[in-house]
Amino acid sequence: MKIEFAPLNIPLRRRLQTAAVLQWVFSFLALAQCCMAGFVLLALSDWWVLAMLYAGWLWLDWDTPTCGGRRSRWVRSWSVWRHFRDYFPLNLVKTVDLDPRKNYIFGFHPHGVLVAGGFGNFCTEATGFSSLFPGLKPHLLMLPFWFRVPLFRDYIMSGGLVSSSKSSLSHLVSRPEGGNVAVIAVGGAPEALDARPGALTLQVLSRKGFIKMALKHGAQLVPVFSFGENELFDQMENPSGSPLRTLQDRLQSIMGVAMPLFHARGVFQYSFGLMPYRKPIHTVGMNRPVELSRLGRPQKSLVELSRLSRAQWAQ
């Protein structure tokens, strides 16, 4: 295989963009493991008292990821995220004004491999979410497992990530003062296994839990589509029924985490690696909010009748 190396005279701004995305990929793939290893080593060292103090803090703070998290405006506004945005580039398109007195559930599609559009638009201020939607606070929902990892949990919460548990979503959309946006990658882990350039397979019809939660609390539903999300990485061929896909589905059912075997480009060459391709991402709210009346305890039949909401989603 011929390797295509990056030229030496690349402008500094592009180098900074590459560095920003490299640290993001590292954070996504390896930072949690490094944080866990660091905590264990600290506990076994002469500084074990610090580890015990943090363990006590962790016990006291255990429920924070399900109670709105602990976001940091400072972390969300780091300049590194502007370089991250410009790498692709990433763009958030506003199509309608949203009332900050209400709570919303953003149904985000497609999941993609690493949810770059979801992270860049809703976990940072790089694309100006707070300016476009004043009075609203976005919270990207993430698997509860990651909030059990010492130190890593504090870092991801600073960007606005919260647990994807039912209690976490219920907390966000039940706030009487409004102003909360729960961003859910509706397709979840299974959708990531089908993310590849030129293809679009969405998991929609079997996903009714978030609609039930919206009915229960009277939250507004907003379909969000991230154009270009699936163009960032190639994947090994894994058609349904193949040995690889069977193994991936089995691992996903056990661990709850998708294991796509993806690849794209590298840092100093364009032929292979785990860096995403430089492809534009346009994240758009696709319609007016789907307004649902608060029903308290929606019956299964009413959730089935919410097919109308999903039809609006498809439009």
Side-chain angles (χ1 to χ4, degrees), residues 118-266:
F119 177 86
N121 286 304
F122 306 116
C123 297
T124 80
E125 290 297 329
T127 57
F129 181 92
S130 295
S131 299
L132 291 172
F133 302 99
L136 294 179
K137 294 187 296 183
H139 305 266
L140 182 62
L141 275 65
M142 191 175 187
L143 290 173
F145 166 80
W146 298 111
F147 296 94
R148 300 168 189 164
V149 181
L151 303 175
F152 181 72
R153 68 190 293 277
D154 300 292
Y155 174 63
I156 59 178
M157 277 197 294
S158 67
L161 285 120
V162 295
S163 171
S164 60
S165 64
K166 284 185 179 180
S167 60
S168 176
L169 178 58
S170 178
H171 175 89
L172 291 175
V173 299
S174 64
R175 297 298 88 192
E177 67 275 13
N180 284 316
V181 176
V183 184
I184 305 175
V186 177
E191 202 169 88
L193 298 177
D194 291 314
R196 51 176 43 86
L200 180 62
T201 302
L202 302 181
Q203 303 281 335
V204 178
L205 296 181
S206 62
R207 307 285 171 154
K208 293 179 285 189
F210 71 103
I211 297 178
K212 183 177 180 180
M213 194 65 69
L215 285 167
K216 181 177 180 180
H217 297 290
Q220 312 299 295
L221 297 174
V222 179
V224 177
F225 198 91
S226 200
F227 295 91
E229 189 77 39
N230 282 356
E231 306 301 313
L232 304 184
F233 296 96
D234 290 307
Q235 274 199 66
M236 290 185 62
E237 290 297 326
N238 59 342
S240 180
S242 66
L244 175 58
R245 186 57 172 267
T246 301
L247 176 61
Q248 289 174 322
D249 289 340
R250 179 62 175 168
L251 291 174
Q252 191 269 324
S253 65
I254 295 173
M255 301 186 299
V257 180
M259 303 290 285
L261 298 182
F262 64 92
H263 58 93
R265 50 158 290 184

Side-chain angles (χ1 to χ4, degrees), residues 10-22 80 83-84 87 278:
I10 288 182
L12 176 61
R13 60 178 178 80
R14 289 179 68 88
R15 295 291 189 192
L16 292 174
Q17 293 166 11
T18 301
V21 173
L22 178 62
V80 67
H83 297 301
F84 173 87
Y87 175 91
R278 285 180 179 266

